[in-house]
Amino acid sequence: MADIALHGPELLKLVALAKKRDLNFAYCPGNDPAEDVFVLDRKKNPEILGRSARGEGSGTKICFGTAKVKGKVMLLTCERELPQTAKKLKKFLKFESIAMNIVVMDIEGNILEEDVEDLGEDPDEADDADDGADEQLNQLKSQAAKLQVAVKNVPTEARPPLTNAFKDAVGAMQGGNLDKAAAIFAKIEEAIAKLADAVANKQSAAPDPALGKLTDVAAGLSKRIDALGGLDGADRLRAAHGVLEGQIAAGDVKTAAGTAKALGDAVSRVSNQDKVAPIERARADWIKTRSDMRDEITKLQAEIVTVCQGDDFPNIANESKTLISYLDAIDSRLERALEALAQETDAARRGKLSEAARSLIGMYQSELDTPFFQAVDAKNGFKPVNIRAAAITSLNKVQEALSAAA
């Protein structure tokens, strides 16, 4: 695998490019900044970057999504999130002699965490400071908090452009361009007001009979949630029910119907969590096992290169890298199947998903019985590793979890 981690001038070059256009990113923190793997790329899918970063790094946890730079603030919009990303990535960039504040957001534009301090002005994007800057910034922060909630409550089909505009405004605000942020916020407020008027006019012109049905559905969901008592997750369901009631009150039939369906499924999942828990534990174990298998292959490769150094084995370093390809057949399909099973509440569909998972286990077990895997643990001729045995143990745990959840 070619090195993908960015350092030095190449990292600085792509950080500069992120000021002009959004880039895809992945981040796999290690035990210290020197072991971190941070990637920025113009074209590659963020999830693929994430897998590559985890394969190259010493860490096992990753986040990925898109990145843009505003002044001295890097804004990360995460498709997959990782706690403490802001703090760790800022420390990594500082290690690379790049002073940069970090703001981490979800795909809706909600700020999850940030590590921001006064780093001085960016010569490319600095605005003239004035005596009222601090006061204006505080006002904008308050305005942003209110607009963040307001954008969430607009109809789903109208939300994407408002979300993108909100991200741009937050980036401008964090980058010190307060006038630009204020202008964007004003346009967002105007757009939300127009949408509210349109919804009100639509409601007054022709009340939608579907709202009555949704009200009945909401009442039924409320009773089901109350029946959960203090079960873990019930409080989150009550909060989601409050969002549903707000959507019904706003007359947003389409969004409310989607929320009601998702909430009903969530209530069923919480009610069924005794069956779900073994599946989730087995899935987590399988994910870790696959990661450990790659680590073990890497250790074996390193041992082969060490033992076979010298002119007698001129190509051994490159040839040994093909060992990792034996793990391609032990792919991520089973963890995705288990995730779908853990989220499914319908008994018939759960049965089909369970059978699909068992079929994948059979395929993996057949692969583990091939000559390479039969020999790799203790008969590879170089050093003992734990690859086939670990996989079989983990697959047995998945089988047991599927039986328990039947």
Side-chain angles (χ1 to χ4, degrees), residues 225-235 238:
I225 294 171
D226 288 342
L228 297 175
L231 199 62
D232 185 31
D235 288 341
R238 292 186 182 95

Side-chain angles (χ1 to χ4, degrees), residues 333-352:
R333 286 178 294 170
L334 179 58
E335 61 194 65
R336 294 198 300 269
L338 294 175
E339 182 178 22
L341 178 58
Q343 295 175 354
E344 185 55 67
T345 57
D346 180 79
R349 289 196 290 268
R350 282 179 63 84
K352 291 180 180 179

Side-chain angles (χ1 to χ4, degrees), residues 12-313:
L12 191 60
K13 175 182 174 182
L14 285 168
V15 169
L17 180 60
K19 294 182 178 181
K20 301 177 181 179
R21 54 172 288 185
D22 289 4
L23 298 179
N24 296 329
F25 88 90
Y27 180 46
C28 178
N31 294 322
D32 58 62
E35 297 182 5
D36 287 5
V37 176
F38 180 58
V39 189
L40 291 168
D41 195 274
R42 299 171 180 84
K43 298 180 180 179
K44 289 184 182 178
N45 181 279
E47 184 175 1
I48 294 175
L49 290 176
R51 290 199 296 266
S52 299
R54 181 165 52 193
E56 184 172 315
S58 61
T60 59
K61 298 180 179 181
I62 57 172
C63 65
F64 53 78
T66 58
K68 67 166 60 175
V69 174
K70 298 281 188 178
K72 289 197 173 183
V73 179
M74 181 175 289
L75 294 150
L76 303 180
T77 300
C78 293
E79 297 176 20
R80 176 167 179 173
E81 303 152 9
L82 181 63
Q84 295 189 314
T85 292
K87 178 180 179 181
K88 292 181 178 180
L89 182 55
K90 182 174 182 179
K91 188 175 181 181
F92 165 75
L93 292 173
K94 184 176 181 181
F95 176 77
E96 292 288 339
S97 301
I98 299 176
M100 187 70 62
N101 288 320
I102 306 296
V103 176
V104 180
M105 300 180 293
D106 63 18
I107 57 174
E108 296 290 337
N110 302 315
I111 297 176
L112 302 177
E113 57 183 57
E114 59 184 1
D115 194 327
V116 176
E117 61 180 311
D118 184 6
L119 297 176
E121 295 183 341
D122 189 307
D124 295 328
E125 298 188 21
D127 294 317
D128 293 333
D130 59 50
D131 293 337
D134 289 342
E135 182 180 353
Q136 185 183 9
L137 179 59
N138 290 333
Q139 291 174 348
L140 287 173
K141 286 182 177 180
S142 176
Q143 189 177 12
K146 294 176 182 177
L147 281 177
Q148 186 169 314
V149 175
V151 169
K152 283 184 178 181
N153 289 330
V154 303
T156 303
E157 61 274 13
R159 197 177 301 158
L162 295 177
T163 299
N164 291 334
F166 184 82
K167 291 180 183 178
D168 289 340
V170 170
M173 182 175 68
Q174 296 290 354
N177 196 339
L178 304 187
D179 291 339
K180 180 180 178 180
I184 298 174
F185 282 154
K187 290 180 179 179
I188 294 173
E189 288 178 337
E190 182 181 353
I192 291 173
K194 289 181 178 179
L195 286 169
D197 289 341
V199 170
N201 292 335
K202 184 177 178 180
Q203 289 175 329
S204 61
D208 193 334
L211 285 174
K213 294 181 180 179
L214 283 169
T215 300
D216 293 338
V217 170
L221 287 171
S222 179
K223 292 179 180 178
R224 292 177 62 191
I225 294 171
D226 288 342
L228 297 175
L231 199 62
D232 185 31
D235 288 341
R236 292 193 297 274
L237 295 176
R238 292 186 182 95
H241 189 271
V243 173
L244 172 61
E245 290 180 326
Q247 292 166 348
I248 293 173
D252 189 354
V253 173
K254 184 176 179 180
T255 303
T259 302
K261 172 65 169 61
L263 182 56
D265 291 344
V267 172
S268 298
R269 283 196 299 272
V270 172
S271 301
N272 199 38
Q273 62 185 6
D274 287 343
K275 291 185 177 181
V276 171
I279 296 294
E280 291 180 334
R281 287 195 295 269
R283 177 176 180 269
D285 183 82
W286 176 241
I287 291 172
K288 182 179 184 303
T289 296
R290 288 183 63 236
S291 176
D292 291 344
M293 291 167 70
R294 298 183 73 86
D295 291 343
E296 291 291 281
I297 281 283
T298 301
K299 292 177 183 177
L300 177 58
Q301 176 193 339
E303 181 68 14
I304 292 173
V305 171
T306 299
V307 172
C308 298
Q309 288 179 347
D311 296 337
D312 291 339
F313 305 96

